Amino acid sequence: MASRIEREQKTLKRMIHIYCKGKGHAVLCSDCSELLAYSNERLDSCPYGNKKGSCKSCKTHCYKEPQRTKIREIMRYAGTRMFLRHPGITMGHVRDGKWKD
Ligand SMILES: [Zn+2]
């Protein structure tokens, strides 16, 4: 079973891909892949590991500016699109790892 961190990384990767494609980039552009690498690194060094809940409700701000603003923009953008494309899937399902590829 995948850890919470792994699930979070997977969801984020998916979101960044949706966002980048939506912005008209054919492949993941350097900005987006840098951001992906950055956030994976942050998640890996999360002080709470797998014990805490979603990063959204976390009191520790793993991401520093300007990446933080960009990631929030991506989550808003991709979150809406994932919901529209799969109306039965809520963010809760994604968080709980019930959404299989
Ligand atoms: Zn991009």
Side-chain angles (χ1 to χ4, degrees), residues 20-21 23-29:
C20 195
K21 208 174 172 184
K23 293 290 168 187
H25 308 148
V27 287
L28 207 63
C29 66

Side-chain angles (χ1 to χ4, degrees), residues 19-53:
Y19 174 85
C20 195
K21 208 174 172 184
K23 293 290 168 187
H25 308 148
V27 287
L28 207 63
C29 66
S30 57
D31 276 3
C32 293
S33 39
E34 260 174 45
L35 193 69
L36 183 62
Y38 172 82
S39 53
N40 279 338
E41 202 184 291
R42 297 310 299 169
L43 279 168
D44 275 338
S45 57
C46 176
Y48 300 100
N50 291 309
K51 288 193 211 79
K52 74 176 180 76

